Amino acid sequence: MIGLFHSGAGEEHENEMSHENASILIAKQVPGIDMVICGHDHHEQIAWFENTDKEKVLVINPKSRAQFLAEVVVDLKWNNEKKSYDKTLKPNLVQISDVQKSKAYVEHFTPLFKEVEAYVSRKVGSFKKSISTKDAMFGDSPFIDLIQNIQMDLADADISFAAPLSYNATIDSGELQVRDLFKLYRFENLLYTMNLSGKEIKDFLEFSYNNWFQQMKSANDPMLYISTTEKGSRLTTMFFNYDSAEGIDYTVDVSKPYGKRIKISGLSSGEKFDDNKIYRVALNSYRGNGGGNHLTEGAGLTKEELTTRLINSTTKDLRYYLMKWIEEKGMVDIKCDNNWKVVPEKWHDTASKKEYELLYGER
């Protein structure tokens, strides 16, 4: 019995399983499965777990972007006494980066490839400054502010939520082509506009930053959730769930525990922020449908309530609207408004410098 899941393994949280990445959870709790082949979290892994019947279950994850193939050789030997097969699983992750291209395949698709190449090379506009998602891992950044401001503009929203969808994407200053929009926005999410109360917005952010920053007791404590092995350092929580907000001014106190970190001083327009008031919020459809659990576990909404809060949804993906917005502007001067910051600031500065070098090397 083989489980083939578009769900990650689920080891990014030490003490709880994320329902978005639940392959290990299923392997442990659903008897009868021999192996689970999973994905979605982009980590390569071969691991064994014991289920409720005390049987070993294989979980194998071939990472992403066709870097590996998950190969499992299954040996079956008939056991006459048990009247069943004894099964031996031999897992392997096969690296395929050196596999030679098929000449016939390449020749067949070359005309279509050239057509796509011409499309993605079309000029959309220009950026005055270069932007990178590296900065977005540590605090407010021009990269995320660009997306936030476009979302607020498109949705006529009071507040916007957005996260970095790429770990290491850079868009250089100068001419912007269609291909660059896939760095700016990787996924085909729609833009949702939802009604959320001030308290739900705060609770949403508490949840987001809890999975983003650890609680620190000094400047020398770790801030991001980072694992370092002989293969290097990597984030162990999902950066595409690092949602920040635009439209409000607030601080994130990493010395405080979950639930007491976010302090909202007001709307960026100068108006008072009210926990009981309903605000018009722009966010992508993945988040609006409950992805990442920010609205459910964080803000406390049920899946049924999510649909009742939806005011509007675009008919095309966000990347299309980002492209149209940039085309209309022509030259875009991207700035970071620093509407939120991490405190204590000295702790944040020390940890950011150290952990930036761990993840990306020296600036």
Side-chain angles (χ1 to χ4, degrees):
M1 180 68 73
I2 302 169
L4 181 61
F5 303 151
H6 185 160
S7 179
E11 285 188 319
E12 66 268 28
H13 304 294
E14 291 183 6
N15 300 317
E16 62 181 76
M17 291 291 182
S18 165
H19 296 303
E20 182 179 339
N21 296 310
S23 297
I24 292 173
L25 188 68
I26 293 172
K28 287 181 175 180
Q29 295 191 8
V30 181
I33 297 174
D34 296 294
M35 77 172 90
V36 173
I37 303 172
C38 63
H40 183 66
D41 58 2
H42 301 180
H43 298 160
E44 77 266 29
Q45 180 182 43
I46 296 174
W48 295 86
F49 300 91
E50 189 176 85
N51 68 14
T52 52
D53 288 344
K54 305 298 182 184
E55 296 171 331
K56 293 292 183 183
V57 182
L58 169 67
V59 175
I60 185 167
N61 186 343
K63 205 171 181 178
S64 61
R65 304 186 182 189
Q67 296 174 69
F68 296 94
L69 289 179
E71 176 189 71
V72 184
V73 177
V74 182
D75 290 331
L76 298 174
K77 186 176 181 181
W78 179 252
N79 187 320
N80 201 47
E81 185 179 336
K82 294 181 180 178
K83 300 300 181 185
S84 63
Y85 284 100
D86 294 327
K87 291 165 280 193
T88 303
L89 307 183
K90 299 174 183 176
N92 186 30
L93 290 177
V94 183
Q95 191 163 351
I96 59 171
S97 57
D98 296 331
V99 173
Q100 294 297 310
K101 298 175 183 175
S102 161
K103 185 180 178 182
Y105 183 96
V106 172
E107 288 179 350
H108 179 81
F109 286 102
T110 291
L112 293 172
F113 179 85
K114 288 182 176 178
E115 186 178 334
V116 172
E117 179 70 20
Y119 171 73
V120 298
S121 299
R122 183 172 66 82
K123 180 180 177 180
V124 175
S126 298
F127 282 176
K128 280 190 175 181
K129 299 172 186 173
S130 299
I131 55 174
S132 171
T133 55
K134 293 178 183 178
D135 301 326
M137 303 299 158
F138 303 92
D140 201 4
S141 69
F143 198 108
I144 301 303
D145 274 7
L146 173 64
I147 295 170
Q148 299 271 40
N149 285 307
I150 294 174
Q151 287 189 168
M152 288 186 71
D153 194 10
L154 291 170
D156 190 24
D158 303 307
I159 295 165
S160 171
F161 291 133
L165 301 186
S166 298
Y167 170 70
N168 188 6
T170 298
I171 302 176
D172 293 327
S173 60
E175 181 177 292
L176 185 78
Q177 299 178 338
V178 170
R179 70 175 76 249
D180 296 313
L181 291 165
F182 289 84
K183 294 180 184 178
L184 183 63
Y185 210 89
R186 282 182 61 192
F187 302 117
E188 281 63 46
N189 298 318
L190 304 176
L191 176 62
Y192 275 12
T193 311
M194 300 182 74
N195 278 329
L196 296 176
S197 72
K199 185 179 184 304
E200 288 162 350
I201 289 164
K202 181 183 180 297
D203 290 345
F204 178 110
L205 291 173
E206 287 280 0
F207 180 87
S208 178
Y209 286 102
N210 185 54
N211 292 312
W212 185 348
F213 297 134
Q214 301 190 56
Q215 185 178 1
M216 301 172 68
K217 295 183 179 178
S218 76
N220 296 319
D221 283 349
M223 183 175 68
L224 296 176
Y225 293 89
I226 297 175
S227 171
T228 301
T229 66
E230 66 278 359
K231 294 181 180 180
S233 298
R234 67 174 179 85
L235 293 167
T236 58
T237 52
M238 301 293 101
F239 55 84
F240 53 78
N241 285 327
Y242 294 176
D243 271 51
S244 58
E246 186 70 17
I248 52 176
D249 296 338
Y250 63 99
T251 56
V252 184
D253 191 337
V254 290
S255 71
K256 297 288 198 302
Y258 177 35
K260 297 181 178 179
R261 290 180 161 190
I262 306 300
K263 185 176 181 180
I264 302 172
S265 57
L267 295 177
S268 299
S269 62
E271 295 176 44
K272 181 183 175 182
F273 182 80
D274 186 343
D275 279 355
N276 298 311
K277 184 177 178 179
I278 299 298
Y279 294 96
R280 187 179 173 96
V281 180
L283 70 176
N284 69 39
S285 54
Y286 171 73
R287 191 72 71 236
N289 289 327
N293 301 317
H294 296 59
L295 287 170
T296 50
E297 289 184 36
L301 300 177
T302 65
K303 290 282 187 180
E304 292 72 27
E305 282 179 302
L306 293 181
T307 57
T308 66
R309 299 298 188 89
L310 183 63
I311 305 169
N312 187 46
S313 169
T314 58
T315 55
K316 296 182 179 179
D317 65 81
L318 250 168
R319 193 186 306 115
Y320 170 83
Y321 293 100
L322 293 174
M323 180 174 68
K324 293 299 180 186
W325 190 92
I326 293 168
E327 279 180 333
E328 186 177 326
K329 299 292 182 183
M331 175 64 74
V332 181
D333 186 9
I334 305 160
K335 295 179 181 178
C336 180
D337 62 6
N338 296 304
N339 67 297
W340 68 275
K341 63 181 179 180
V342 181
V343 296
E345 291 186 62
K346 287 185 178 179
W347 294 13
H348 176 250
D349 291 344
T350 300
S352 294
K353 183 179 185 301
K354 182 170 59 179
E355 294 177 6
Y356 187 99
E357 290 177 1
L358 264 180
L359 294 173
Y360 301 109
E362 291 188 14
R363 287 181 185 270

